[in-house]
Amino acid sequence: MNILVLNCGSSSIKYQLLEMSTDPKLVAKGIVEKIGLPTSAFTHVPTGKDKVSMEIYIPNHTVGINLILKALINQEHGVISSLEEINAVGHRVAHGGEFFSESTLINSEVLKKIRLCSELAPLHNPANIKGIETIAEVLPKVPQAAVFDTSFHQSLPEKAYIYGIPYEYYENLSVRRYGFHGTSHKYVAEKACKILGWNINEKKIITCHLGNGSSIAAIDGGKSVDTSMGFTPVAGLVMGTRCGDLDAGALLYISEKENLSVQQANDFINKKSGIAGISGVTSDFRELHAAIGKGNERAKLALDVFCYNVKKYIGAYAAALNGVDLIILTGGIGENDFYVREQSCSGLEYLGVKFDAELNKTIRGVDRVISQTDSKTTVMTVTTNEELVIATDTMQLVLKK
Ligand code: ADP
């Protein structure tokens, strides 16, 4: 079964075509970028063939998706002979609000609810909806599924998702913690348990998804019970360009001093803060290390703040879970940056962590235990694959139909 996975962002569309079997294969992947800008571009990477890149004006998501579909069946760099070979389409949908605690096939009722959630994710859900509508138009017979970033965290208890603001704002405006990166947290926790031969229902796990956007989740018996992102993805850890946890009073103070509009304040906390804001040089961890190598002290400070944040959340979630059996590091940083892993897991001996610092230095982009064999708490790096989760969920929903 061939499944097209679409991740429609506000100005980009990432896609993968996967051939699903017991051993799923990536058939092609690519990205449409900077939609609506004169510098928009399209990159298509067919497995086993040359990559195709073009700068071409892509005014909207509909044009972008049609470009992708054409590339998939192109004589030269295509990977299938006709669009009929696409059996289903799985969409990454940013926000499912309180409607969706699992992935679902899309029908008009589901679409209506995704639309209702647009208020909660005004940049992302409308883009997801455009993706769904375009596919419905071009491939009307192909089943579509929605896989939500938020659904895994719908199991949070009330005490973990209610904010300390008047309760009416939850009742009337749905303001609460939702959490994101759900597909990744669920996937790496399940994958690690499979590798370790553990029953996830009996385990307490802390998953750290560390990438451009970063979040941590506390998972008890396979269910998310707390997570660091909140009403929006700006909460929790300091991230590439997002501020993470910030005293709401500080934002009010800065907004008043700088005379910021709501839009400017939004840009401030989402695009100008985090590692980029502290270091003043970059949001990218590879570049951050390079700057530190050249003696940049603010870059070093940014890295220290990040690792301290991760460690603090691990401690908090160990408290929430009343102990922890497994700490997982994933995402571009968690999978590759041994310094971040070491710093974030240092001083956790009180939790039963005996970190293997030597082994850790040699590990990059693989699934591997990085604690010592007699460590009471296991630490692991696990590679994430959100597209695979989306394709797998989509396939299962289609087969159940
Ligand atoms: P996204 O949230 O966009 O999916 P990723 O999970 O791809 O992000 O993570 C991107 C981050 O991972 C960047 O900060 C990047 O520098 C970092 N990263 C990727 N490879 C390495 C590496 N080898 N060493 C350190 N950091 C890395």
Side-chain angles (χ1 to χ4, degrees):
M1 182 184 276
N2 287 324
I3 302 209
L4 177 63
V5 174
L6 287 180
N7 179 358
C8 297
S10 54
S11 65
S12 71
I13 307 167
K14 291 190 196 133
Y15 66 95
Q16 285 193 5
L17 184 69
L18 289 139
E19 189 194 315
M20 301 300 287
S21 57
T22 38
D23 182 21
K25 285 190 184 57
L26 178 69
V27 182
K29 64 175 184 176
I31 183 167
V32 170
E33 290 174 281
K34 301 188 187 169
I35 293 171
L37 294 178
T39 51
S40 52
F42 174 48
T43 309
H44 173 67
V45 190
T47 305
K49 293 185 182 178
D50 289 341
K51 169 168 138 180
V52 187
S53 300
M54 54 181 101
E55 279 194 16
I56 170 173
Y57 181 56
I58 304 158
N60 55 47
H61 286 73
T62 309
V63 173
I65 289 175
N66 278 302
L67 206 58
I68 293 168
L69 295 175
K70 269 194 201 140
L72 291 173
I73 54 168
N74 182 284
Q75 292 248 309
E76 266 170 66
H77 48 258
V79 284
I80 47 177
S81 46
S82 100
L83 292 179
E84 282 178 15
E85 288 178 40
I86 298 176
N87 303 103
V89 179
H91 295 266
R92 178 184 188 170
V93 178
H95 218 305
E98 289 188 333
F99 293 118
F100 301 103
S101 55
E102 50 193 29
S103 306
T104 177
L105 282 174
I106 298 171
N107 57 30
S108 58
E109 199 52 38
V110 167
L111 193 56
K112 207 155 105 192
K113 288 179 180 157
I114 296 175
R115 203 166 268 131
L116 284 175
C117 295
S118 287
E119 285 227 357
L120 303 174
L123 288 181
H124 290 96
N125 272 34
N128 302 146
I129 292 166
K130 274 187 199 141
I132 294 166
E133 287 176 338
T134 305
I135 293 293
E137 235 172 80
V138 187
L139 304 170
K141 292 202 188 103
V142 174
Q144 302 193 67
V147 179
F148 302 92
D149 254 29
T150 50
S151 61
F152 180 56
H153 302 301
Q154 277 298 296
S155 48
L156 257 59
E158 240 180 341
K159 67 182 176 194
Y161 71 70
I162 288 294
Y163 286 129
I165 56 173
Y167 193 74
E168 303 84 86
Y169 288 87
Y170 167 58
E171 292 179 304
N172 301 334
L173 293 180
S174 308
V175 177
R176 53 158 283 181
R177 179 186 308 281
Y178 291 98
F180 299 87
H181 289 145
T183 45
S184 178
H185 289 293
K186 180 170 183 276
Y187 174 72
V188 295
E190 288 174 355
K191 186 181 183 191
C193 284
K194 213 178 265 173
I195 293 169
L196 294 167
W198 287 4
N199 178 356
I200 197 168
N201 298 326
E202 296 165 355
K203 298 294 175 186
K204 298 170 190 291
I205 304 174
I206 298 174
T207 45
C208 309
H209 178 106
L210 312 177
N212 283 319
S214 295
S215 70
I216 302 199
I219 301 174
D220 198 354
K223 291 198 163 35
S224 175
V225 294
D226 207 345
T227 190
S228 58
M229 283 180 168
F231 178 66
T232 73
V234 81
L237 299 170
V238 164
M239 305 174 217
T241 61
R242 296 186 189 127
C243 62
D245 293 337
L246 173 73
D247 179 350
L251 181 61
L252 296 179
Y253 178 77
I254 294 165
S255 298
E256 192 174 28
K257 287 281 175 200
E258 299 282 325
N259 206 11
L260 300 182
S261 65
V262 172
Q263 184 55 49
Q264 286 168 326
N266 188 47
D267 276 3
F268 178 79
I269 56 173
N270 276 291
K271 296 188 179 155
K272 301 194 171 148
S273 297
I275 298 300
I278 300 171
S279 71
V281 283
T282 183
S283 63
D284 185 284
F285 272 61
R286 279 167 294 197
E287 291 174 16
L288 195 69
H289 284 289
I292 294 168
K294 288 186 191 140
N296 187 320
E297 285 181 10
R298 265 173 49 196
K300 175 70 170 66
L301 175 63
L303 188 62
D304 288 346
V305 170
F306 183 81
C307 298
Y308 178 64
N309 257 249
V310 175
K311 181 152 88 172
K312 218 158 68 164
Y313 264 100
I314 291 174
Y317 287 171
L321 291 166
N322 186 18
V324 53
D325 298 303
L326 172 64
I327 299 168
I328 298 174
L329 298 134
T330 189
I333 299 162
E335 291 167 29
N336 294 297
D337 193 323
F338 68 82
Y339 181 86
V340 167
R341 290 196 301 249
E342 184 182 321
Q343 289 302 306
S344 308
C345 294
S346 71
L348 295 183
E349 290 79 12
Y350 75 98
L351 279 182
V353 172
K354 275 197 194 173
F355 195 72
D356 191 335
E358 284 313 307
L359 172 66
N360 174 53
K361 285 198 180 86
T362 66
I363 301 297
R364 177 165 288 182
V366 289
D367 304 322
R368 197 60 202 266
V369 171
I370 49 170
S371 49
Q372 296 177 26
T373 43
D374 61 342
S375 184
K376 191 165 106 2
T377 299
T378 303
V379 183
M380 245 185 121
T381 66
V382 178
T383 56
T384 194
N385 188 342
E386 291 167 276
E387 288 78 12
L388 182 62
V389 180
I390 296 170
T392 307
D393 278 13
T394 303
M395 178 179 69
Q396 282 167 356
L397 285 164
V398 169
L399 292 177
K400 254 200 298 192
K401 209 167 58 148

